[in-house]
Amino acid sequence: MNKFFLHLGKQPLANNYLKYYSKNQVKYNLNLFFNTKDKLVSISKRIPSKKMFNNNYPYKSSMSLTMRRSFLDLSKEIKKRFNPNLILEIGSNDGALIKNFDKNNAIGVEPCSNLAKITSNKGYKTYNNYWNFKLAKKLKKNIKKIDLIYSANTLTHISNLNDVFKSLAYLMPNDGILIIEDPSLMECIKKVSYDQFYNEHIYVFSAIAVKNLLDKFDLELFDINNLSTHGGSLRYYIKKKSNNNVKIKSSVKIQIKKETKFGLNKFTTFKKFAIKTINSKNSLLKLIKKIKLNKKIIIGYGATAKATTVLNYSKIDNNHIDFFLDTTPDKSNKYMPGKKIKILKYNQNLLKGVDYIFLGAWNFKNEILKKEKKFIQKGGKFITHIPMPKIF
Ligand code: DWN
């Protein structure tokens, strides 16, 4: 049974950065639910994938040093630990992971054609498709053996999880390895990062929910790593239940025990999160309004999908934030979704005269603080809403 716990207002498509501001940009109700049976947390409104992931998806994983490093480290681990002949990445984006593999050893699947083009132009076989059973069948027919399947921040974007995991189990050989990586529900709740929810993020997974899903397809977890990326993520290592050659590590039991103790299997946890979220929204707006009373300049840093949720939910607009800075070329000179706040191409000179930076990309706080030492030395301050709104 799906139980409602939070309404995050009306939200535009989180990555729909418009060239010309329109106050009529389409918005959808963003409501969060907890399923008492399978323990999955999801949003209710499902937008057709084609509306979100098409030929002009702006987000590129390679835009941050943190993510480039994380993918490089993972590629080293995969080679050392599993030594696969062929890996398949679902949601290969701009190739931040597969570029660390030889062209003959890695294949991408990417529904956004602008991104798929990047990896195929570099010589990587890239299927410009959505992940589904039809594609899994095609791959099984065309490719001899895929030893390892990897997918980061992608499966949570696909509505039909039964089809997702059925397709994965079908394509995996008996000794195959599946690694998936997504924001951790426990970290999201702990940090009150309600901004992990937007129309693209249909689910935010816990290990408990992933285990329940895998059970249905005779798959099982054999290791879990906690990562600091995207505000705290989990990397799940999965095998077929019939494969007894891989040992199940204690990390699996430990994570599930931690999550159960924290209450991720209980609806009351999400009711408490909803109250904290409402308080966070109110105090962020109050904090920003107080700063503006003193005629100070606030800008945003990192025009993230997460920031779209925060701005539209907290009713923050161009009276509060002058502009956003972002390094992504496809976001430059466009407007934050749902808001008349312009995004400018990152240039350190644009920080002159700025008093406060609102951290849209709070998940890259360390990387950004390192880069903006000058701003800090000159007395510049940051605003964050994670875990609670504050200035630092
Ligand atoms: O799942 C998803 C995740 C992985 O990426 C997507 N559905 C969409 C996207 O979400 P996001 O926009 O919240 O992701 P990020 O990775 O937090 O976005 C960071 C943004 O900040 C990028 O647009 C790049 C920008 N940035 C910047 O301008 N300067 C980032 C850093 C580190 C910087 O120094």
Side-chain angles (χ1 to χ4, degrees):
M1 183 192 171
N2 270 337
K3 282 177 94 171
F4 165 84
F5 63 90
L6 180 61
H7 173 61
L8 288 172
K10 279 197 174 278
Q11 296 281 349
L13 295 183
N15 266 299
N16 191 9
Y17 303 88
L18 298 183
K19 198 156 184 204
Y20 302 101
Y21 170 73
S22 162
K23 61 177 189 316
N24 299 324
Q25 189 168 10
V26 181
K27 293 185 180 177
Y28 306 88
N29 276 319
L30 186 61
N31 292 320
L32 310 190
F33 288 81
F34 173 68
N35 188 291
T36 50
K37 186 165 168 256
D38 57 26
K39 316 298 178 200
L40 256 178
V41 168
S42 64
I43 64 168
S44 55
K45 179 81 188 160
R46 308 289 160 93
I47 315 286
S49 302
K50 279 186 187 146
K51 276 199 174 175
M52 298 188 283
F53 312 111
N54 39 45
N55 57 354
N56 55 9
Y57 191 68
Y59 179 75
K60 293 197 176 84
S61 311
S62 301
M63 282 294 132
S64 96
L65 181 66
T66 311
M67 290 316 294
R68 290 198 300 275
R69 278 198 184 139
S70 171
F71 287 127
L72 175 64
D73 290 349
L74 174 65
S75 68
K76 285 182 188 159
E77 184 199 319
I78 287 178
K79 287 174 198 172
K80 201 167 159 207
R81 195 168 166 190
F82 303 111
N83 191 24
N85 277 325
L86 187 60
I87 85 156
L88 172 80
E89 186 184 12
I90 301 170
S92 46
N93 196 272
D94 63 350
L97 174 85
I98 60 172
K99 72 166 192 217
N100 299 302
F101 290 88
D102 192 89
K103 291 178 189 61
N104 301 319
N105 300 129
I107 299 172
V109 172
E110 175 50 61
C112 304
S113 53
N114 59 322
L115 300 171
K117 236 180 244 161
I118 300 174
T119 46
S120 65
N121 284 346
K122 286 187 181 149
Y124 290 91
K125 174 82 189 151
T126 310
Y127 289 81
N128 181 205
N129 288 93
Y130 294 97
W131 177 249
N132 54 31
F133 196 62
K134 195 173 157 205
L135 179 63
K137 267 167 91 178
K138 183 172 162 185
L139 293 173
K140 192 143 180 161
K141 203 171 137 204
N142 293 350
I143 299 165
K144 225 170 73 199
K145 190 184 175 213
I146 293 167
D147 306 296
L148 189 144
I149 304 176
Y150 173 70
S151 188
N153 304 305
T154 300
L155 305 187
T156 52
H157 297 58
I158 311 176
S159 179
N160 188 346
L161 286 180
N162 281 330
D163 185 70
V164 164
F165 284 94
K166 181 180 130 190
S167 314
L168 288 166
Y170 170 79
L171 189 60
M172 273 168 81
N174 274 340
D175 59 351
I177 302 291
L178 166 66
I179 304 175
I180 61 178
E181 183 175 320
D182 282 290
S184 150
L185 182 63
M186 188 158 80
E187 290 307 314
C188 165
I189 302 295
K190 271 188 190 166
K191 295 189 168 83
V192 199
S193 67
Y194 60 88
D195 52 354
Q196 283 293 5
F197 293 96
Y198 42 90
N199 16 54
E200 287 179 13
H201 278 186
I202 299 170
Y203 307 96
V204 176
F205 288 151
S206 62
I208 297 175
V210 168
K211 184 190 175 305
N212 289 341
L213 261 165
L214 297 175
D215 272 343
K216 294 192 211 167
F217 299 95
D218 287 327
L219 297 169
E220 68 184 343
L221 290 158
F222 67 89
D223 198 4
I224 297 180
N225 276 353
N226 276 273
L227 312 172
S228 59
T229 51
H230 291 296
S233 297
L234 290 179
R235 186 175 284 155
Y236 305 93
Y237 297 76
I238 298 155
K239 66 174 187 72
K240 289 206 160 166
K241 279 187 182 168
S242 54
N243 176 5
N244 296 319
N245 295 327
V246 179
K247 212 175 146 255
I248 297 179
K249 293 209 164 190
S250 56
S251 58
V252 176
K253 254 194 189 154
I254 292 170
Q255 181 66 30
I256 288 178
K257 208 170 156 190
K258 256 200 273 175
E259 292 186 356
T260 309
K261 198 171 165 208
F262 185 78
L264 289 190
N265 52 345
K266 287 194 205 119
F267 182 63
T268 47
T269 305
F270 301 97
K271 287 300 286 176
K272 282 183 203 153
F273 168 71
I275 294 166
K276 284 188 186 167
T277 297
I278 295 164
N279 290 339
S280 171
K281 168 191 78 166
N282 292 337
S283 70
L284 179 64
L285 187 61
K286 202 168 145 195
L287 180 76
I288 287 180
K289 279 185 172 169
K290 198 170 152 197
I291 293 172
K292 290 310 285 181
L293 277 180
N294 295 322
K295 306 249 178 301
K296 299 286 183 195
I297 305 280
I298 308 174
I299 66 147
Y301 197 118
T304 57
K306 294 183 290 292
T308 298
T309 296
V310 177
L311 301 180
N312 287 280
Y313 177 53
S314 306
K315 305 214 169 352
I316 294 168
D317 55 36
N318 55 332
N319 293 319
H320 308 116
I321 294 187
D322 284 29
F323 57 86
F324 263 75
L325 286 179
D326 199 289
T327 48
T328 314
D330 289 347
K331 295 182 185 177
S332 287
N333 292 321
K334 293 185 179 162
Y335 287 92
M336 284 303 289
K339 294 288 163 182
K340 202 177 180 181
I341 307 177
K342 198 118 189 218
I343 305 162
L344 303 180
K345 187 168 167 37
Y346 174 78
N347 173 348
Q348 218 162 37
N349 290 332
L350 293 170
L351 291 175
K352 277 183 198 147
V354 170
D355 302 297
Y356 292 85
I357 288 176
F358 169 68
L359 267 183
W362 56 265
N363 43 316
F364 294 116
K365 183 174 153 189
N366 294 341
E367 186 176 336
I368 293 170
L369 293 191
K370 237 188 223 167
K371 224 193 282 183
E372 304 310 341
K373 273 193 188 132
K374 244 195 199 161
F375 171 75
I376 300 167
Q377 277 159 8
K378 285 186 174 164
K381 298 252 184 283
F382 287 86
I383 303 169
T384 187
H385 61 293
I386 300 293
M388 278 311 263
K390 64 173 182 203
I391 295 169
F392 67 96

